[in-house]
Amino acid sequence: MNNHPPVSRRRFLQASSTLGLGALILRPALRAAEEPTKMPRRKFGATGVEVSSIGLGCMFDITNNQVILRETLKHGVNYWDTAAGYERFGSETGIGMFFERNPSARDEVFLVTKGRGDLMESLDGSLGRLKTDHVDLFFVHGISAISAMQKPEVRAFAEAAKRAGKIRFMGFSTHSNTAECLSGAAPLDWIDAAMFTYSYRDMERPEMRAALDACSKRGMALTAMKTMGGRQASEKPEHAKLLEPITAKGFTPGQAKLKIVLENPQIACACVQMPNLKFCRENIAAGLDRTSLGAAEKLALARHADATCHGYCAGCSRLCESAIAHAVPVREVMRHLMYHHCYAELDARAMFSEMPAEVRARLADADYSAAERVCPQRLPISQLMREAAAVLA
C-alpha cells in the first residue's frame, strides 16, 4: 500500500531528531538533515491517486501560519483538507495566499474542501478563495444521514462539477452516525470518498468494521478524522497513568492514537489538525515511524478509552436527538463544547453563535433525561448542555 520503503527505527529516530520533536521526546538536532524524510503514501481508494498517509487538517488560522504549509509540504504531506466554514473562510483564503506566492505548490497538493447548501455556489466561492481552478476532492460537509447524499441534485452537482473540471472526486464528511453513513454510501458507486470520525475509541465496534469492509470492497477512499478521540487538555492522574506503557515506549499519547489508526490498511489517510509546529512535527514523526504498536500499548489505549468514555461524545446522534424529538442538535453542541475545551486555537464561541438563536435559547431548559438514558457513553447530557449555554454564549 505504501510506495516508500519502511523507515527503520534508527532512521526514524534520526529523522525525529531533525524534526525537533518525534516519537521519542528528543532535543532538537543542531543541524538539519540533507534531505527531509518523506511521508509514506497510500492508494486513495479506486481513484488511481496516492496520498500521504497523514493529511494536514487546516481548521486553523492559515493566513498567519504559512510556515505550517511549507513544513508539511517539505515532508511530503500532500493531502490538505479545508472547508468554506473554517475560520469563516480564512482557512481557504490562507491556502490561496500560499498558492499565489508558491504557484508550483498547487501541483504537489491533493486539495480537499467542503461545502453545504447550494453546492455549486459553495464550490465556486471556495475556488476563488483557494486561487485555483479546481479541487481534487469536494465533500458535502457534515452529513448525519446518507439520505443527504441520495438527493438527485447532489449527484447531478457531482457530475456537472466533474464535467466542468472543477472537481476530480466527490464525497462527504460526517461526524455523526458514522457507521450508518458509511454503510449507506457503500452501494452508491458515484461517491468516491468519505471523511469520518475514527479513533482508538470506536475502531473495534462491529458496525464500524462492517462499514469499512463494505466501503473498501467497493473501492471508496477512506479518510479518518478526529483521530485523537478528543484531545484531553487536562486528564485526571489516574487516566494519564493508564497511558504510561505508551510514554515508556517513547511515544506521546497523541502519536500512539494516530499510529493505531494508521495500522488499519483500509484508511487511506489520517487527517489531523496541525495548528503549530509542535503538533506538526509530532504528527509527521509518528507517520514516518513504521514500527507497530505492541500489545501493551494497544491494551493501554483500550483501557483509557473505557475509563474516559463518559467524557467523549461518540457521535451517535440518532439515539439522543430522536429521544428528545430533535429539540436540540446535541451532537453539534457537544462538538462546539469539545472545541472550546480542547482546541484553544479555534473560536468555538463564534461557531456556536452561528446556530439558530432559538436553538441556543432553549439549551439550558430542555429535558434531556430521555437522551441520557439511551446514551451508550453515559454522558451527563443535561449538565453539558447547560455548560455549553453558559460558556459559549
Side-chain angles (χ1 to χ4, degrees):
M1 179 165 288
N2 299 327
N3 67 348
H4 292 275
V7 177
S8 70
R9 187 69 176 171
R10 179 178 180 182
R11 185 182 173 199
F12 165 65
L13 295 181
Q14 291 171 340
S16 300
S17 180
T18 297
L19 285 169
L21 181 65
L24 294 183
I25 307 304
L26 301 174
R27 295 180 62 186
L30 298 179
R31 59 188 179 86
E34 294 180 3
E35 179 66 27
T37 309
K38 300 295 186 180
M39 188 66 60
R41 294 194 176 183
R42 297 184 173 189
K43 292 180 180 179
F44 197 60
T47 65
V49 174
E50 290 188 340
V51 299
S52 51
S53 58
I54 289 181
L56 172 63
C58 296
M59 194 176 178
F60 60 95
D61 182 5
I62 300 293
T63 301
N64 294 307
N65 288 278
Q66 300 275 290
V67 65
I68 303 298
L69 303 184
R70 290 193 295 273
E71 185 75 9
T72 55
L73 206 55
K74 179 176 72 176
H75 290 280
V77 177
N78 73 330
Y79 186 109
W80 290 6
D81 172 87
T82 185
Y86 291 175
E87 292 290 313
R88 298 189 173 188
F89 310 119
S91 175
E92 290 184 332
T93 300
I95 293 174
M97 179 189 303
F98 184 83
F99 287 150
E100 280 193 310
R101 294 172 176 173
N102 306 274
S104 63
R106 177 63 189 93
D107 293 334
E108 299 180 55
V109 173
F110 186 85
L111 185 61
V112 185
T113 195
K114 315 178 191 76
R116 293 191 178 104
D118 185 321
L119 296 179
M120 192 63 78
E121 180 180 339
S122 178
L123 172 60
D124 287 339
S126 292
L127 295 177
R129 289 183 291 273
L130 290 165
K131 305 300 181 185
T132 185
D133 62 357
H134 77 284
V135 293
D136 296 283
L137 174 58
F138 184 84
F139 284 136
V140 177
H141 198 171
I143 72 168
S144 59
I146 197 57
S147 57
M149 299 299 292
Q150 293 171 324
K151 298 175 181 178
E153 59 267 30
V154 176
R155 182 170 184 174
F157 157 79
E159 293 171 348
K162 287 182 178 181
R163 284 196 304 269
K166 295 181 178 182
I167 69 173
R168 295 174 66 192
F169 307 111
M170 178 72 182
F172 64 89
S173 67
T174 176
H175 302 86
S176 303
N177 309 318
T178 298
E180 291 79 6
C181 289
L182 291 172
S183 295
L188 306 179
D189 60 4
W190 61 274
I191 296 179
D192 302 302
M195 183 179 193
F196 54 98
T197 303
Y198 184 75
S199 74
Y200 72 108
R201 293 182 179 277
D202 50 23
M203 60 194 306
E204 294 301 326
R205 289 192 292 124
E207 60 270 32
M208 178 64 79
R209 296 179 69 175
L212 295 191
D213 287 345
C215 290
S216 297
K217 183 177 180 180
R218 207 264 286 160
M220 189 187 302
L222 301 174
T223 298
M225 65 172 168
K226 300 294 187 292
T227 56
M228 296 296 109
R231 276 183 1 205
Q232 299 298 314
S234 60
E235 287 192 332
K236 293 181 179 179
E238 61 267 29
H239 295 154
K241 188 175 179 61
L242 292 172
L243 298 178
E244 285 184 354
I246 290 169
T247 53
K249 186 73 173 287
F251 298 111
T252 68
Q255 287 174 324
K257 293 172 184 178
L258 182 54
K259 284 175 64 60
I260 199 169
V261 167
L262 291 174
E263 288 188 6
N264 183 351
Q266 296 172 323
I267 301 300
C269 180
C271 190
V272 288
Q273 192 172 336
M274 306 189 203
N276 56 51
L277 284 174
K278 175 183 180 295
F279 284 124
C280 178
R281 291 168 174 169
E282 182 177 330
N283 291 327
I284 288 174
L288 294 178
D289 177 24
R290 306 313 297 155
T291 59
S292 298
L293 295 180
E297 294 87 72
K298 292 178 180 178
L299 180 59
L301 286 173
R303 287 174 171 170
H304 184 270
D306 184 64
T308 60
C309 68
H310 60 280
Y312 174 74
C313 177
C316 41
S317 59
R318 71 191 185 285
L319 299 177
C320 60
E321 292 178 11
S322 61
I324 57 173
H326 301 280
V328 171
V330 175
R331 170 57 176 164
E332 185 176 356
V333 176
M334 287 292 295
R335 186 156 59 93
H336 294 327
L337 190 60
M338 181 268 292
Y339 287 153
H340 173 75
H341 287 308
C342 303
Y343 292 79
E345 66 276 3
L346 298 181
D347 190 349
R349 289 191 177 94
M351 291 187 282
F352 179 75
S353 70
E354 295 175 358
M355 293 179 61
E358 61 272 19
V359 172
R360 289 182 276 124
R362 62 173 174 263
L363 278 186
D365 299 325
D367 181 2
Y368 299 99
S369 55
E372 291 179 343
R373 285 195 294 271
V374 299
C375 177
Q377 302 294 103
R378 307 186 297 276
L379 291 174
I381 296 175
S382 179
Q383 174 186 327
L384 292 167
M385 294 300 103
R386 288 196 298 271
E387 179 185 355
V391 304
L392 297 178

